[in-house]
Amino acid sequence: LNWPAHINVSVNVSPLQLKNRKFPEIVKNVLEKTGLNGARLEVEITESVLMDEYEHKNVILNELKALGCKISMDDFGTGYSSLSYLWKFSFDKIKIDRSFIQALPDPTAKEIIQAILGIASIRAMTVTVEGVETAAQLQMVSNMGCSVAQGYYLGRPLQLAFAGTRDTESALV
């Protein structure tokens, strides 16, 4: 890939993919084929992925980390949220679900975001807030200490064409 060095690739991974014992090998082959350094690949999973077969999936996630990949918990705070996931696996990043950002300036939403930021700082994890759609939201999350945000206010997803592959969409903000 001829992307600038500061651009990373984020990929959502399904529960089915994480059940496949060969998934780390598949990722390794893709990294070799594309020339992408594993440290530039961010594998995003939702909390629900870890609900069953935790030990098996934990092995696979650790193998992906051994390739240099970063592991992110996407949509944190929705559905099956459990702090035990943050304790049992060393995620590199937590992505706070957009529903909390959309609820701002509600004091409860703000408190939850601040609590997640506090936990992440203890565990040395990066936090991304999803769904920033206004300047006011960006200012609020910035004032809370969030340093990474994504959403339509910051930019729309861009379409990229890769030589020899079909067109792919990717959010680069």
Side-chain angles (χ1 to χ4, degrees):
L1 296 175
N2 276 337
W3 287 357
H6 70 281
I7 302 281
N8 293 326
V9 178
S10 295
V11 177
N12 290 352
V13 176
S14 74
L16 186 60
Q17 288 171 305
L18 280 184
K19 284 185 177 189
N20 182 349
R21 184 66 193 101
K22 293 185 178 187
F23 186 65
E25 183 181 331
I26 293 167
V27 171
K28 181 181 178 187
N29 291 338
V30 169
L31 292 173
E32 289 172 356
K33 184 176 180 179
T34 62
L36 182 70
N37 183 316
R40 293 180 61 192
L41 178 61
E42 185 174 308
V43 175
E44 296 185 10
I45 64 168
T46 60
E47 297 165 271
S48 61
V49 166
L50 299 175
M51 288 195 61
D52 66 338
E53 301 179 27
Y54 173 80
E55 293 301 324
H56 167 75
K57 291 174 183 173
N58 195 32
V59 168
I60 289 176
L61 291 173
N62 280 314
E63 288 179 14
L64 293 172
K65 283 186 76 107
L67 294 173
C69 302
K70 305 289 186 266
I71 310 295
S72 295
M73 182 178 287
D74 196 14
D75 298 332
F76 186 73
T78 60
Y80 305 103
S81 296
S82 173
L83 296 178
S84 68
Y85 296 136
L86 301 180
W87 170 58
K88 291 178 180 178
F89 187 80
S90 60
F91 288 94
D92 297 293
K93 180 188 282 186
I94 300 172
K95 296 181 80 176
I96 299 175
D97 186 70
R98 67 185 313 275
S99 61
F100 294 103
I101 308 312
Q102 300 308 307
L104 288 174
D106 179 283
T108 303
K110 185 176 179 180
E111 290 166 355
I112 291 171
I113 293 169
Q114 288 175 320
I116 295 169
L117 288 168
I119 292 167
S121 70
I122 292 167
R123 302 283 295 170
M125 291 183 258
T126 303
V127 175
T128 297
V129 292
E130 299 178 311
V132 174
E133 296 180 3
T134 67
Q137 289 171 335
L138 182 61
Q139 187 63 50
M140 280 185 268
V141 297
S142 178
N143 289 345
M144 284 187 267
C146 296
S147 60
V148 182
Q150 70 182 54
Y152 288 155
Y153 177 72
L154 300 166
R156 299 280 180 174
L158 302 174
Q159 188 168 20
L160 303 172
F162 296 99
T165 65
R166 58 194 168 118
D167 288 347
T168 309
E169 286 191 5
S170 177
L172 298 178
V173 291

